[in-house]
Amino acid sequence: MELVIATNNKDKLREIKNIIGEKFDKIYSLKDLGIDIDIEETGSTFEENALIKARTICQFTNLPSLGDDSGLSVNALDGAPGVYSARYAGEPCDYNNNINKLLSELEGKKDRTAKFTTVAAIVFPGGKFITAEGAAEGEITLERCGTYGFGYDPVFYSYDLKKTFAQATEEEKNMVSHRGRAIRNLLEKLKEEIR
Ligand code: IMP
């Protein structure tokens, strides 16, 4: 089976490809197929947005397409930034400004617990789809720690790894991350689907 990864985010693309490994005959990025579109995330849930991305690219390419939507939900901020994680400090997405805003919103708050969530979806030509979720629990640190990863990784202390995602190698992060878990769950469902 061939698969298109429906993202323009090169950080996510790299992680997704490494998590999936060698399980497909061919994996295409949007760039590989010469597709240059900005898909608007108009959904109000991770699942809706993952499906919007996967459906749009499936209709475009007529190939099974994988979309992922992720975000960071902080308990003391009533779940924000959540589905708005990419544009928390405004558009276009700026990782550094997003972290600055998050740290300033959390100033003086005792509870810094947070959760990353990913919903991954594959949409097939004809419209059938499967979705799966993954989560990673942790806390927002007081300052940036580590240089690996992307997005909020420098301030997300993972309870699984006992360090921030930005202090972990990509391999370590993928073992416990929201995206790693969501995609592995999705691949399990896919196996059952095509059995
Ligand atoms: P989206 O899934 O493209 O809407 O992106 C969500 C946003 O959440 C990204 O722009 C990042 O800021 C953040 N994000 C998603 N996954 C991760 C991650 O694995 N580490 C750090 N930040 C992430």
Side-chain angles (χ1 to χ4, degrees):
M1 186 175 133
E2 297 185 318
L3 185 72
V4 188
I5 313 291
T7 183
N8 289 314
N9 180 325
K10 59 179 184 0
D11 298 308
K12 282 179 26 173
L13 178 66
R14 189 190 57 245
E15 285 191 3
I16 292 170
K17 277 186 163 172
N18 285 337
I19 295 163
I20 293 178
E22 308 285 309
K23 296 192 179 62
F24 289 83
D25 296 323
K26 185 111 195 135
I27 293 187
Y28 301 101
S29 67
L30 296 183
K31 206 169 159 208
D32 292 334
L33 299 175
I35 298 171
D36 181 17
I37 51 168
D38 200 18
I39 303 167
E40 258 200 83
E41 297 180 18
T42 51
S44 55
T45 63
F46 295 122
E47 184 171 41
E48 279 171 19
N49 281 334
L51 280 168
I52 288 170
K53 295 175 200 179
R55 274 202 189 106
T56 306
I57 297 306
C58 183
Q59 281 161 6
F60 230 81
T61 60
N62 215 28
L63 288 169
S65 301
L66 184 150
D68 119 315
D69 197 59
S70 314
L72 179 69
S73 306
V74 179
N75 289 322
L77 304 177
D78 297 325
V83 285
Y84 304 107
S85 293
R87 32 193 162 136
Y88 191 38
E91 290 190 270
C93 170
D94 183 307
Y95 293 154
N96 211 27
N97 290 345
N98 284 341
I99 290 181
N100 288 343
K101 177 164 179 188
L102 180 64
L103 293 180
S104 91
E105 295 285 331
L106 278 176
E107 245 169 61
K109 304 241 192 260
K110 268 210 176 107
D111 177 7
R112 301 181 73 93
T113 55
K115 179 168 90 167
F116 266 125
T117 305
T118 292
V119 173
I122 298 182
V123 174
F124 301 89
K128 258 183 101 172
F129 65 87
I130 49 173
T131 65
E133 188 171 315
E137 305 269 352
E139 278 176 25
I140 305 304
T141 51
L142 292 168
E143 53 189 41
R144 290 165 174 81
C145 262
T147 52
Y148 294 119
F150 71 98
Y152 298 94
D153 283 347
V155 291
F156 184 80
Y157 176 89
S158 155
Y159 288 156
D160 292 297
L161 296 177
K162 313 262 183 292
K163 56 185 169 184
T164 69
F165 273 170
Q167 292 173 303
T169 63
E170 188 168 301
E171 206 177 20
E172 288 174 317
K173 179 185 169 189
N174 288 344
M175 298 267 286
V176 300
S177 77
H178 46 309
R179 186 165 298 102
R181 287 174 169 147
I183 289 175
R184 285 191 293 275
N185 289 340
L186 189 73
L187 295 180
E188 278 305 309
K189 281 195 180 175
L190 181 62
K191 248 199 263 169
E192 284 161 25
E193 195 73 16
I194 56 184
R195 193 175 281 158

